[in-house]
Amino acid sequence: MSEAAPRSAPEVTPEVTPEVTPESAPGSSPAPRAGRGVGDTRDVKLLWCANAADSLGSQTSGVVLPLLLLGLGQSPAVVGLVAGVSTAAGLVLGPLVAVPADRGARKRVMFWSATVSALAMASVAVALAVAGGRPSLAHLLGAVLVERTATACYEAAARGTVALISEPGGLPRVVAGLEAGDRGALVVGPALGGLLYQVSRALPFLADALSYAVTAVCVGAMRSDLRAETRTDPRSESRAEMSTDGRPAQGGPASQGGGPGHRPARKSGRPSVRRRAAALVAEAGAGFALVRTSPLLRLVLVWTTTVNGVLAALYYDAVFTLQESGHGAAPMGLVLAVSGAAGLVGSLAAPGLTGRTGLLGASRVLVGVSWLMVPLAALLATAAEPWSYGALFGGFCLIMPLATVVLQARAIHGTPPELQARAGSVLATAAGGAAAPAPALAGLLAVHAGSAAPALVCAALLTLLACRLTFGGARVLATRVPARGRAV
């Protein structure tokens, strides 16, 4: 992948049919989870492997892509434009691609998206090797855009996979395994990318292509077809066969034989492109409708967007401060390495610390983590040396997996299987949208109010978030959520 931003807030995995909402019709049965039984453990391990390979490739090539563009004589503005377009592609395409994934094409979308990404990165590696390390800008930008678009499709389709291959009781363990893969990649990937780049400009992109190939193989080897099975209410089907006045509806079973005055219904032609596009947008909007009406998912949305934006602002504030004090790129690499290692430890410990706490205990974990982040953010206002930034960011990444595992597991369990991808795309888009302007806002605060201002503002935002969770928000997390997604 082309970006190496550290993953901070949870990526919730919630899927959709256009008519489904949290208040599903009474009498409808919960959708059975696909892929249970013998294949569960195997498919979970394959998912972990696919995620770890994907994340490692992302960090390996993402850290050197800006260096490559700058080395080819491109301006920082071009580098920023590439990053911005790549991010925008993911935010726009995610909710739309989630629709076919929820309709049953999840596995195909994941497999072919990873395959296309592998080919795109392989073409960059070949061009770098053949052209003496100086490929054409058009080829490089085209390949990166194709890879980023395919990656957005993969990520959108992948949301909901956990719910289909894991029993509800195993959700924290599966989510923690995915989080550990991300954190481990954050530790190893940048260093590996820098090392490979010193040997040859082509090697980091070749490694990324191979990581996508591993991801595609793992997805293809899963025994589950990753389809969310749904059951319809028989009463609604019988009502659909009757018109509003109680007589058989046109085209219903009682009208098939014709009769006096009976006219066969006209066969409608194939829907126009405009109607199909409108239907796609409407179905994508079902995820937004679910998040808007679900107190649980609204809680996840608020926590995720706030924490993502805060961490992005704090990270860039650290970059600005260290640069002003004369430190080079190596200290920031140290901060990232320490943060990644702490996040890996937290991810590995999270299942044991949260798996046996129950719903009430899970809400207490979320409130506790939210309050612990406040002093860490405030202390960053006084930090000036790399070791202090490393220690404080390490503290963030050590405790955050606890909240991440709690939120993801509850959101997955509380979202209907056929709504997972679209609701998850809404949450991911909101989190990405919150993080996008954070660096610019941090820069403005640092310039006009001093280098400590971004950290103090972030501490204030985290205080408001912790207060919200303390006074009522955590009760939402502690409610029992049945399979249809409505808290009771």
Side-chain angles (χ1 to χ4, degrees):
M1 296 182 193
S2 58
E3 295 183 38
R7 301 190 185 193
S8 50
E11 291 179 8
V12 181
T13 331
E15 290 182 291
V16 206
T17 51
E19 302 294 328
V20 180
T21 67
E23 291 77 26
S24 297
S28 57
S29 302
R33 298 182 186 271
R36 286 183 171 180
V38 178
D40 270 359
T41 302
R42 180 177 182 271
D43 282 356
V44 166
K45 290 180 179 178
L46 286 171
L47 180 62
W48 284 343
C49 182
N51 179 73
D54 185 5
S55 299
L56 181 61
S58 300
Q59 300 294 339
T60 300
S61 67
V63 74
V64 302
L65 179 61
L67 300 178
L68 176 61
L69 290 171
L70 293 172
L72 294 176
Q74 302 303 319
S75 67
V78 172
V79 177
L81 179 63
V82 172
V85 171
S86 300
T87 301
L91 294 178
V92 172
L93 288 174
L96 298 178
V97 177
V99 175
D102 285 335
R103 286 175 169 175
R106 184 184 319 279
K107 192 170 185 178
R108 293 197 302 274
V109 172
M110 291 172 64
F111 176 83
W112 288 110
S113 296
T115 301
V116 169
S117 296
L119 294 175
M121 288 295 97
S123 75
V124 173
V126 171
L128 285 167
V130 172
R134 302 189 68 85
S136 69
L137 180 62
H139 179 190
L140 184 60
L141 296 184
V144 169
L145 185 58
V146 168
E147 179 268 345
R148 190 61 239 172
T149 301
T151 298
C153 295
Y154 176 89
E155 291 173 349
R159 298 183 183 105
T161 304
V162 173
L164 299 173
I165 64 174
S166 173
E167 296 286 348
L171 288 176
R173 173 174 166 269
V174 177
V175 170
L178 296 174
E179 186 75 9
D182 289 339
R183 300 295 178 176
L186 184 59
V187 176
V188 178
L192 178 61
L195 179 63
L196 294 176
Y197 191 72
Q198 294 298 320
V199 178
S200 171
R201 286 182 170 183
L203 287 180
F205 300 95
L206 178 60
D208 197 9
L210 292 175
S211 75
Y212 279 121
V214 171
T215 299
V217 170
C218 290
V219 171
M222 289 183 181
R223 291 173 181 168
S224 170
D225 60 8
L226 304 182
R227 294 175 183 267
E229 299 177 8
T230 57
R231 296 178 186 176
T232 57
D233 186 359
R235 294 175 298 174
S236 63
E237 292 182 357
S238 62
R239 286 194 298 267
E241 296 174 359
M242 304 297 293
S243 63
T244 55
D245 59 359
R247 291 177 297 180
Q250 191 82 317
S255 64
Q256 296 299 321
H262 170 71
R263 289 185 180 181
R266 289 185 179 180
K267 293 184 178 179
S268 58
R270 191 173 183 177
S272 65
V273 175
R274 179 180 298 180
R275 288 185 177 181
R276 292 167 66 185
L280 180 64
V281 172
E283 289 196 57
F288 173 79
L290 176 63
V291 174
R292 180 175 56 84
T293 56
S294 168
L296 172 63
L297 295 185
R298 287 203 306 270
L299 173 67
V300 174
L301 178 69
V302 170
W303 198 94
T304 301
T305 52
T306 303
V307 173
N308 261 20
V310 162
L311 284 183
L314 290 175
Y315 173 78
Y316 278 91
D317 182 45
V319 172
F320 301 148
T321 304
L322 290 176
Q323 186 177 16
E324 286 180 1
S325 59
H327 296 285
M332 280 313 302
L334 175 63
V335 171
L336 286 176
V338 171
S339 301
L344 179 60
V345 172
S347 299
L348 294 175
L353 295 176
T354 62
R356 293 185 290 271
T357 57
L359 293 179
L360 183 59
S363 66
R364 290 172 177 170
V365 167
L366 182 60
V367 171
V369 169
S370 300
W371 278 112
L372 285 174
M373 289 192 294
V374 174
L376 292 175
L379 287 173
L380 282 170
T382 65
E385 298 297 324
W387 67 266
S388 57
Y389 277 107
L392 293 172
F393 274 108
F396 264 109
C397 295
L398 180 65
I399 63 176
M400 274 189 55
L402 300 177
T404 298
V405 169
V406 166
L407 285 172
Q408 286 198 33
R410 289 293 292 148
I412 293 170
H413 181 63
T415 304
E418 70 277 6
L419 289 164
Q420 294 269 334
R422 277 170 276 184
S425 293
V426 171
L427 296 172
T429 298
L441 294 176
L444 289 174
L445 285 172
V447 169
H448 296 289
S451 59
L456 294 176
V457 171
C458 289
L461 291 174
L462 290 174
T463 301
L464 293 175
L465 176 65
C467 289
R468 171 70 179 88
L469 292 171
T470 302
F471 301 106
R475 286 199 300 270
V476 175
L477 192 70
T479 54
R480 181 175 59 86
V481 182
R484 297 306 298 175
R486 182 175 54 189
V488 294

